[in-house]
Amino acid sequence: MEAETSAASDTPVTRKKMIMVAIDESEESFYSLKWALDNLINDPSIIITLINVQIPFTPMVYPAGPAVRKGQQENATRILSRALHLCQQKMVKAETLIVEGDPKDMICQTAHELHVDLLVIGSRGLGKIKRAFLGSVSDYCAHHVQCPILIVKPPKENPKSS
């Protein structure tokens, strides 16, 4: 643990470590959370923040804006409730955060604003062509986030024996 000295006295102040885990509806993001809980979170002074980024809805033709926003909020709540349940099973306290914007930018920006010590993000394992067209959130974050990042790849599927 890092120890900082308080300005008012010479007593060391222990700074809690913060790990941020990006969560969406993908199984890869939940796998990365499970991996972090099993392999990283073994200290009660660690704070885990679960972040879900909602892509902004821009109503162009349909006046269904409020209904869509409500649906997005309910989806985010459902996703984060599932993630919180995993944390509770491991007896780990977690906080949740829902932000709106481009996931790539918002994950990096939020990690910077919260002074995160480690960002954990899942990798979807996109092929080269899909990654070129869609872009990779984990790749973008690896190049732009200002803290250490752990990209958790999904487990390889076992080939079925015949």
Side-chain angles (χ1 to χ4, degrees):
M1 267 306 145
E2 286 181 8
E4 298 174 352
T5 305
S6 170
S9 68
D10 290 334
T11 58
V13 177
T14 303
R15 181 183 170 286
K16 291 189 174 198
K17 297 282 186 183
M18 181 180 288
I19 296 176
M20 187 168 87
V21 181
I23 296 291
D24 62 15
E25 68 279 349
S26 72
E27 286 306 312
E28 292 85 0
S29 74
F30 280 93
Y31 179 79
S32 70
L33 173 60
K34 289 175 193 171
W35 193 94
L37 291 170
D38 289 341
N39 296 285
L40 297 176
I41 317 293
N42 57 1
D43 184 340
S45 68
I46 292 175
I47 299 170
I48 188 166
T49 300
L50 305 168
I51 183 172
N52 178 265
V53 182
Q54 294 295 303
I55 298 171
F57 173 73
T58 53
M60 292 184 188
V61 178
Y62 303 104
V68 172
R69 274 201 191 283
K70 184 178 179 194
Q72 283 182 318
Q73 189 67 31
E74 288 171 356
N75 187 46
T77 301
R78 182 182 49 77
I79 290 166
L80 290 173
S81 291
R82 180 178 167 204
L84 276 173
H85 181 70
L86 291 173
C87 293
Q88 290 168 349
Q89 286 179 326
K90 295 286 186 174
M91 310 278 247
V92 173
K93 283 191 171 187
E95 8 180 90
T96 61
L97 187 59
I98 301 171
V99 295
E100 188 175 287
D102 182 325
K104 297 173 191 175
D105 295 326
M106 294 310 298
I107 290 170
C108 293
Q109 179 183 329
T110 304
H112 176 70
E113 289 171 358
L114 295 178
H115 305 287
V116 169
D117 295 297
L118 177 67
L119 170 63
V120 177
I121 193 163
S123 171
R124 294 193 186 201
L126 296 176
K128 291 179 184 177
I129 294 173
K130 282 186 179 179
R131 193 172 344 146
F133 284 109
L134 299 175
S136 166
V137 173
S138 59
D139 186 58
Y140 180 90
C141 290
H143 288 92
H144 293 89
V145 74
Q146 297 178 6
C147 67
I149 181 171
L150 174 65
I151 300 172
V152 180
K153 291 184 175 187
K156 292 185 177 181
E157 293 183 26
N158 294 331
K160 295 182 180 168
S161 57
S162 35

